[in-house]
Amino acid sequence: MKRVRMIISYDGTAYCGWQIQNNGITVEEIMNRELTGLLGEEITVIGASRTDSGVHAIGNVAVFDTETKIPPEKISFALNRRLPEDIRIQKSEEVDANFHPRYCDSIKTYEYKILNRKFPDPLNRLYTHFVYMPLDVDKMKAAAAYLVGEHDFASFCSSKSQVKTTVRTVYTLEVSKMDDIIKIRISGNGFLYNMVRIIVGTLLKVGLGVYPPEHVETILEAKDRYQAGPKAPARGLTLIGISYQE
C-alpha cells in the first residue's frame, strides 16, 4: 500500500464544491469515480481544502491510498485522460504514509478577483466578481493591514462553522490593481468557513466608502459576524496553492 499526493486544478463553475454531498456533483465525487475506474480498486481521496460551490482551484491537494503498480508520477497522465476538461491533475507523487493534507502544517494561499469597471465583461464573468461602482484600492490596502497577524477571526466566519477555535494567522493580505482587475491575495495557516469571502466583502465596503479603513479593526475586535461585510460571491475566488512544511 502506498499513499499518493496529487495537485489538482479545476474550474469550480459546474460543481457544488469539493466535498461529496447530495444536492449535486462535486470534484471529490469525480475524483473517487475516475480513480476507482483507473486503478480497479475502491479509492477515496482526502482533500486539503473543501472549496465551496463555484470556487476554483489552481493547486488544491489530495491524497489516496492504493495497491496499484502504476508508478505514482504516471498516475496524473493516465487520470487526466479520464477526467472532464474542467479538472486536471498537475502532479502526482508518492508521499509518506503519515502525510495528511489537512493536518500537516501548511500555508494556504487564495486569490479573489474583482472586475471594477462601468460594464461587465462576458469573458471574465465566471472568474471575477463585477462591481460597477469605483473602488478606492488605497483604502482597501489600508484596511487589509489590520487583518495581518494572529487574530480571533470570529467576525469573519459564517455561523455554520463548527470549530474549536476561531483564531487564525494571516501571513500576508495584498490588494493590487491592474487595468480593471483588482486582486486580493491572502496567505495563512488556515481559514474558517467563508472567511476569505467575508474578508473580501468587508474590504469592498471599505473600497466603496461605507466603512473607513480603521473600522476593520473594530469589526475584528467585535468577534461578531453581523459586524462584518457580506460574503462575496464564490466565482471570484481561487485556491492558488498549499505549501507544506516537509
Side-chain angles (χ1 to χ4, degrees), residues 123-195:
L123 298 183
N124 276 303
R125 75 190 189 283
L126 300 179
Y127 311 107
T128 62
H129 171 44
F130 171 64
V131 178
Y132 71 90
M133 295 285 287
L135 293 168
D136 190 322
V137 174
D138 288 335
K139 288 184 178 179
M140 293 170 72
K141 289 180 180 179
Y146 290 102
L147 300 175
V148 176
E150 184 180 81
H151 303 287
D152 187 336
F153 284 95
S155 292
F156 298 91
C157 175
S158 286
S159 56
K160 292 180 182 178
S161 181
Q162 296 179 340
V163 292
K164 292 180 180 178
T165 177
T166 49
V167 174
R168 296 292 186 273
T169 300
V170 170
Y171 299 120
T172 60
L173 178 49
E174 301 168 347
V175 183
S176 61
K177 184 175 184 180
M178 180 175 289
D179 298 325
D180 296 327
I181 301 289
I182 296 172
K183 294 181 180 180
I184 299 173
R185 183 174 281 226
I186 183 170
S187 294
N189 65 351
F191 296 96
L192 302 165
Y193 184 49
N194 292 150
M195 176 175 159

Side-chain angles (χ1 to χ4, degrees), residues 94-105:
E94 186 172 359
V95 290
D96 189 273
N98 294 321
F99 174 81
H100 194 291
R102 287 203 297 274
Y103 302 140
C104 292
D105 290 341

